[in-house]
Amino acid sequence: MTKPNIPPSRDELLRHLVATRISGPVATPREVNLRHYAELVKGNRRFWLGLELGDHWTQEDVLAVMVERAGVHPDPEHHFGQDTIDPLLTLAGLDRMAAVLRDAAARRLRVLLATGHPGGLLDVHRAVGRALRAAGAEILDIPRGLHTTEGDDETSGNVRQFGDVAVLERGATLWHTHAPQPMSAILDALDAAGRPRPELVVADHGWAGRAGQYGIPTVAFADCNDPALFLGEAEGTVTVTVPLDDHIVDARDYAPMTAYLLAAAGLPAEG
């Protein structure tokens, strides 16, 4: 594989995605995927990731979307064991995201970056933010002192910004969260202060879903066990959803993918 900051070719990246299990045969078991699809269909809001998906989706529909947009195993009778993300769909998603980022830089848009997966994707978002800022886009500074709850368990947390990326922090720890409430806290605080909302959001999990639901153009990364953002893209609420395993063994392995994304967007990579 090329050095992390040197963009790989398409073929090199495809091999790397499979070798590191970012896509291809991924670690998320099929039974977990199907359970999450069923929970979404039953109306469990935790699995809607901040979107309003209504009651028209069936489990068969969800599986069909996930086959088309993420490349999961198409057999509805495949209930247990290995599942997949098609690396070609990952690559295609990166290309679509790159086009949005290129436009954001050209128009010097106001961009908000956020992650609910700091253990996996924080460096990806940070690199995108640095590159957009260097290209002339405005990276939004979130209001200070934001406090929110993470879903039904009413567990409190603080919405912070590290390296230009909004995260949920609790007890001096950056927190893995699917919740949309942290994004709502940011957008509501901006409104209350009379500050403009972002013109583009780059995010994942509930951060992305809630931004899209608020009508903000949003590009996102999503795993095959988080179908909501793919449904959001199918419905036009989310602009781009890139399928990938969002927490691989070593987060440094996302670096070649990030270098490819930035190069495809015509953005400067960190040396």
Side-chain angles (χ1 to χ4, degrees), residues 95-216:
D95 289 339
R96 295 197 311 277
M97 181 181 283
V100 176
L101 298 179
R102 179 187 293 270
D103 178 68
R107 294 198 287 140
R108 297 177 180 267
L109 296 186
R110 187 171 50 257
V111 182
L112 173 61
L113 301 108
T115 185
H117 239 303
L121 297 176
L122 181 59
D123 278 350
V124 177
H125 289 290
R126 289 178 61 212
V128 170
R130 285 194 299 265
L132 284 171
R133 187 191 295 279
E138 175 188 349
I139 304 303
L140 189 146
D141 287 327
I142 69 170
R144 294 173 182 258
L146 297 184
H147 186 79
T148 188
T149 58
E150 191 204 349
D152 294 336
D153 64 359
E154 298 299 317
T155 303
S156 63
N158 302 302
V159 183
R160 309 286 197 197
Q161 199 166 27
F162 290 89
D164 291 330
V165 183
V167 294
L168 184 67
E169 180 265 346
R170 185 184 307 146
T173 299
L174 305 188
W175 209 256
H176 171 230
T177 178
H178 289 76
Q181 287 89 342
M183 179 59 77
S184 295
I186 294 173
L187 299 178
D188 292 346
L190 290 171
D191 291 347
R195 293 176 54 190
R197 291 180 177 181
E199 297 166 294
L200 175 68
V201 166
V202 183
D204 49 66
H205 283 179
W207 301 87
R210 181 53 51 85
Q213 191 63 44
Y214 270 59
I216 301 168

